[in-house]
Amino acid sequence: MQLNNEFMIQLYRTMLMIRRFEEKALDLKARQIIPGLLHLYIGEEAVATGMCAALRRDDYISSTHRGHGHCIAKGGDISLMMAELLGREKGYCRGKGGSMHIADIDLGILGANGVVAAGMPISGGAALSIKMRGKDQVVACFFGDGGSNQGAFHESLNMAALWKLPVIYVCENNQYAISVAQSRSCSIRDIYLRKDAYEIEGCMVDGNDVLAVYQAAKETVDRARRGEGPTLIECKTYRWRGHYEGEADRTYTYRTKQEIEEWIDRCPIKRFQKVLLDQGVVSQVGLNQIEQEIQSDLQKAMEFAQNCPFPEPQDALKDLYYEE
Amino acid sequence: MREITFVEAVNEALHEEMARDERVYIFGEDVRVGYGKGGPFGATNGLATRFGPERVIDTPISESAIAGTSVGAALWGMRPVAEIMFSDFLALAMDHIVNSAAKMRYAYAGEATVPVVFRMACGAGVGAALHHSQSPEAWITNVPGLKVVMPSTPADAKGLLKSAIRDDNPVVFFEHKFLYSRLREPVPEGEHLIPLGKADVKRSGEDLTIIAYGAMLQQAMRAADLLNQEGVKVEVLDPRTLVPLDRETILQSVKKTGKVIIVHEAPTFGGFGGEIAALIAEEAFYSLDAPIKRVGAPFTPVPASPILEKFYLPNAEKIVKAAKEIME
């Protein structure tokens, strides 16, 4: 697949922005500046980046409770995201949702979700709407290995297959459902093989290889746009951090330090950096430049969020029902 | 008496009942290891080590199957203690709790028993937002066939959970997550049983009854202290079990004081407090010398930002305000 340099650099930039945004969030959480629950995507950036790079602005995505990466990759505004994480008035949800509920309807981001696999039927509905309205948009539905064991997985895939809905089901297999290893929660090793139960297309890709993800995404998005129905893509990757920040697993009770370190060695960003340098797409100076730009954008987002006031207490009562 | 936290009391009840009856087993997400402590809150801490993975079963993330599988096992000789990690996910498990567990004995003309406990962490106050903070007790108190328990103190949590596990009916057992590690109180060691369906008067008084459960009991007790400083003698009553409801104890208290405030963390509108208010209006109307008051959350989801969540949650000050309105 021939990709132009500008596109490749944009992939890199997106992955690095997700990483730096989350490292910042991690730091703020550790200092108790971010309230509530925070589930980080560090190590899985190539999946959201590769997938969303194959989407148009008017396509939809549904997300999980580990959703910052999806939101950034689909073009979400990091200032509004950071303001939401800090519970501020101008955050994406006006401070009502926090990390697990960030959405941007204009960008087709149907929302992070605190309920595992809840995005699956919602994606099917968005796709049904596309079909009924006669549009050529598609939906990318992100979920995890854990989510693949919910009843909603089966119900959604069956319906989407039956009605040839334009959904790409993207299983981010980060190998742990909370603290339970995939081998202890799934009856099969390769989740994409469940495609056969619905007679749909599917494939498995290295989820730490952004180009591999992009290639699979491009093919399946094109198929969906042509009206050829849903696809199940499984991206094998790994969650570097705990299930949530604050997880007390300091003694490696459910996975080993060695396992985590092995996956950190397979960092999707470092790996892509090497590809870019080896192919002469960008120089080390260029990479440094990107890093600086991202740091500067992030700094601006932080300033925006921290200067943004908290909501008024009574704002808790707003926006429950549609009113003329 | 030694003091332990709310979650330690829950954990102790599970240990004791599993040791007592080998048919009792734990079934839920992340219960074995959790983050090194047994679930996100440590409720199942040490159980897998002591009783083995055959009786402390980590399930896939499959709430509907957790509930349905528990019903099936309970029908045929086991006594599952199923865990729904957050009570918000009750919505996913609802079918088998409402349509299977609650109705089987009735449908099979008294031939079947379904001795299952569905434990779940409920409640707000920790910034966990829309999908991890709800108090959904009123969703299921309208379902005949279930018992519904919501303890407010560590000692009650232990005594009620032990009774729930021994009960031959399906029991939904709400544990307020705000209390888990924050509330430490004396809890009897060893056998300590509190019957389901029995309210408890946590503080005696003559002027006003405050009925509160879950995390709101602490707020009611604090309100009682504040009102006491102004000479109002408050009786604080904790129903402990919502179904079956201890009507007698509630009516007795209200007939004595003539004034009542009902407090819960769920939205006031459509909340369980409405049922208690209706009971009092029907059975003790002529003993009342002021309108029944309810204090609960506004009719919105639980918001994330701390300032919004604080506004949302009922507290002692809001209870005192309601009290002053009817004490005049």
Side-chain angles (χ1 to χ4, degrees):
Chain A
M1 192 169 38
Q2 276 301 333
L3 298 171
N4 70 43
N5 288 359
E6 201 182 329
F7 182 82
M8 302 261 276
I9 289 169
Q10 187 52 41
L11 290 177
Y12 178 75
R13 188 184 289 275
T14 302
M15 283 204 289
L16 193 64
M17 177 56 91
I18 297 170
R19 175 70 57 89
R20 296 293 179 249
F21 179 89
E22 291 215 306
E23 285 169 346
K24 188 75 202 168
L26 191 168
D27 171 54
L28 294 169
K29 181 72 198 167
R31 290 190 281 134
Q32 299 185 325
I33 294 170
I34 290 178
L37 296 171
L38 190 71
H39 303 79
L40 296 182
Y41 193 65
I42 294 176
E44 308 179 33
E45 296 90 348
V47 180
T49 303
M51 188 65 225
C52 290
L55 299 177
R56 294 194 317 229
R57 187 186 158 92
D58 67 339
D59 290 330
Y60 304 130
I61 65 166
S62 74
S63 179
T64 66
H65 54 258
R66 204 174 301 290
H68 306 148
H70 309 136
C71 189
I72 291 173
K74 189 66 173 54
D77 182 324
I78 59 166
S79 294
L80 302 183
M81 288 175 71
M82 195 56 89
E84 187 58 34
L85 295 189
L86 295 180
R88 305 303 169 107
E89 187 191 18
K90 290 201 167 65
Y92 260 124
C93 316
R94 303 285 181 266
K96 285 174 179 160
S99 165
M100 262 187 295
H101 299 275
I102 291 173
D104 187 327
I105 299 300
D106 291 338
L107 289 173
I109 301 170
L110 306 177
N113 204 308
V115 176
V116 173
M120 302 195 76
I122 295 171
S123 290
L128 182 62
S129 147
I130 291 168
K131 199 170 173 180
M132 292 172 92
R133 289 182 287 118
K135 303 290 183 187
D136 72 341
Q137 295 155 284
V138 302
V139 188
C141 169
F142 294 99
F143 63 101
D145 46 307
S148 78
N149 296 321
Q150 285 283 32
F153 172 93
H154 168 66
E155 297 176 30
S156 304
L157 266 73
N158 180 57
M159 256 185 215
L162 187 64
W163 298 330
K164 287 199 178 306
L165 299 179
V167 189
I168 300 93
Y169 293 101
V170 188
C171 179
E172 299 180 315
N173 185 347
N174 68 16
Q175 310 190 36
Y176 287 88
I178 317 178
S179 75
V180 179
Q182 193 216 323
S183 60
R184 292 208 296 119
S185 73
C186 285
S187 61
I188 54 172
R189 199 180 72 174
D190 298 324
I191 293 166
Y192 84 100
L193 291 174
R194 290 183 179 166
K195 72 187 169 60
D196 294 337
Y198 310 99
E199 294 189 344
I200 60 172
E201 295 294 320
C203 61
M204 181 169 75
V205 299
D206 178 346
N208 280 23
D209 178 348
V210 69
L211 294 178
V213 175
Y214 173 72
Q215 185 162 359
K218 186 83 180 74
E219 286 165 18
T220 55
V221 165
D222 290 347
R223 287 189 57 256
R225 251 194 243 297
R226 290 196 301 266
E228 291 169 26
T231 312
L232 176 57
I233 301 181
E234 179 181 7
C235 302
K236 303 271 197 198
T237 182
Y238 195 80
R239 189 189 78 209
W240 291 13
R241 304 290 303 172
H243 171 64
Y244 71 100
E245 286 312 302
E247 172 185 299
D249 189 38
R250 296 189 188 91
T251 51
Y252 304 100
T253 47
Y254 67 84
R255 53 184 190 170
T256 63
K257 189 162 184 278
Q258 188 193 343
E259 180 186 289
I260 298 169
E261 282 168 357
E262 280 171 14
W263 277 93
I264 289 176
D265 283 344
R266 292 177 223 166
C267 173
I269 296 174
K270 279 205 179 129
R271 197 164 145 184
F272 192 49
Q273 228 174 44
K274 189 169 183 311
V275 171
L276 294 178
L277 290 170
D278 287 353
Q279 295 187 7
V281 174
V282 68
S283 64
Q284 187 58 52
V285 175
L287 290 178
N288 295 347
Q289 173 80 17
I290 292 168
E291 176 78 51
Q292 277 172 15
E293 286 164 11
I294 283 172
Q295 291 295 351
S296 156
D297 289 350
L298 200 52
Q299 187 57 35
K300 282 180 205 146
M302 273 311 297
E303 279 164 21
F304 172 85
Q306 283 183 311
N307 290 330
C308 180
F310 284 100
E312 291 299 319
Q314 299 84 332
D315 290 348
L317 306 177
K318 280 188 189 164
D319 295 329
L320 187 61
Y321 293 102
Y322 177 80
E323 282 166 40
E324 294 289 346
Chain B
M1 202 187 297
R2 57 65 202 261
E3 295 190 350
I4 58 175
T5 62
F6 195 98
V7 73
E8 286 165 350
V10 167
N11 182 250
E12 190 166 282
L14 294 173
H15 270 278
E16 289 178 12
E17 292 308 298
M18 286 187 76
R20 178 180 174 271
D21 184 343
E22 63 182 20
R23 296 169 302 174
V24 176
Y25 70 97
I26 309 289
F27 197 62
E29 294 157 10
D30 243 42
V31 293
R32 228 164 88 181
V33 179
Y35 313 103
K37 56 181 182 179
F41 306 105
T44 51
N45 190 17
L47 292 172
T49 319
R50 181 170 170 194
F51 299 104
E54 298 79 18
R55 289 180 66 198
V56 183
I57 303 171
D58 273 338
T59 65
I61 299 181
S62 309
E63 285 84 6
S64 173
I66 290 171
T69 308
S70 298
V71 171
L75 270 176
W76 296 105
M78 301 305 289
R79 305 187 75 86
V81 180
E83 178 173 312
I84 305 297
M85 187 180 281
F86 287 84
S87 69
D88 313 68
F89 312 154
L90 172 60
L92 291 102
M94 201 86 166
D95 181 36
H96 284 291
I97 297 177
V98 171
N99 290 320
S100 302
K103 294 178 174 58
M104 280 188 165
R105 185 167 183 82
Y106 188 72
Y108 306 157
E111 293 290 317
T113 56
V114 191
V116 51
V117 179
F118 301 101
R119 293 181 42 247
M120 53 198 81
C122 68
V126 299
L130 315 173
H131 289 163
H132 293 76
S133 302
Q134 296 171 83
S135 291
E137 69 275 9
W139 300 358
I140 54 159
T141 49
N142 193 232
V143 179
L146 301 174
K147 294 187 177 181
V148 181
V149 181
M150 194 183 303
S152 313
T153 69
D156 286 353
K158 178 177 174 181
L160 288 164
L161 182 53
K162 285 168 70 78
S163 296
I165 293 170
R166 295 184 199 185
D167 201 292
D168 277 333
N169 296 288
V171 180
V172 178
F173 197 90
F174 289 105
E175 299 162 11
H176 200 294
K177 68 175 79 71
F178 188 82
L179 303 177
Y180 268 148
S181 56
R182 289 178 181 85
L183 189 59
R184 178 182 291 273
E185 285 184 359
V187 175
E189 289 180 59
E191 193 75 342
H192 167 60
L193 291 168
I194 293 172
L196 305 190
K198 196 83 198 92
D200 190 33
V201 175
K202 299 290 186 193
R203 172 184 180 129
S204 284
E206 296 77 43
D207 302 333
L208 165 69
T209 299
I210 301 179
I211 300 171
Y213 58 83
M216 287 302 116
L217 180 74
Q218 297 297 312
Q219 298 300 325
M221 296 295 272
R222 208 157 65 77
D225 283 340
L226 293 169
L227 289 162
N228 190 49
Q229 290 166 13
E230 301 182 23
V232 181
K233 305 290 177 219
V234 177
E235 179 143 308
V236 179
L237 189 151
D238 177 2
R240 301 196 289 198
T241 304
L242 305 183
V243 183
L245 185 64
D246 182 354
R247 299 155 58 99
E248 283 316 307
T249 305
I250 291 171
L251 293 172
Q252 241 171 39
S253 176
V254 174
K255 283 175 181 170
K256 180 173 73 173
T257 62
K259 297 185 187 68
V260 62
I261 300 174
I262 304 154
V263 189
H264 54 58
E265 191 182 298
T268 308
F269 184 88
F272 189 72
E275 179 59 35
I276 300 177
L279 166 72
I280 294 165
E282 284 178 339
E283 305 288 335
F285 184 77
Y286 296 108
S287 303
L288 290 172
D289 48 37
I292 300 167
K293 277 280 179 189
R294 288 182 291 161
V295 176
F299 196 58
T300 77
V302 185
S305 188
I307 197 163
L308 300 177
E309 192 183 38
K310 185 164 179 283
F311 173 83
Y312 173 91
L313 284 172
N315 59 24
E317 287 69 30
K318 292 176 188 176
I319 299 170
V320 168
K321 185 168 172 284
K324 287 187 172 163
E325 285 168 23
I326 54 171
M327 293 310 296
E328 279 167 2

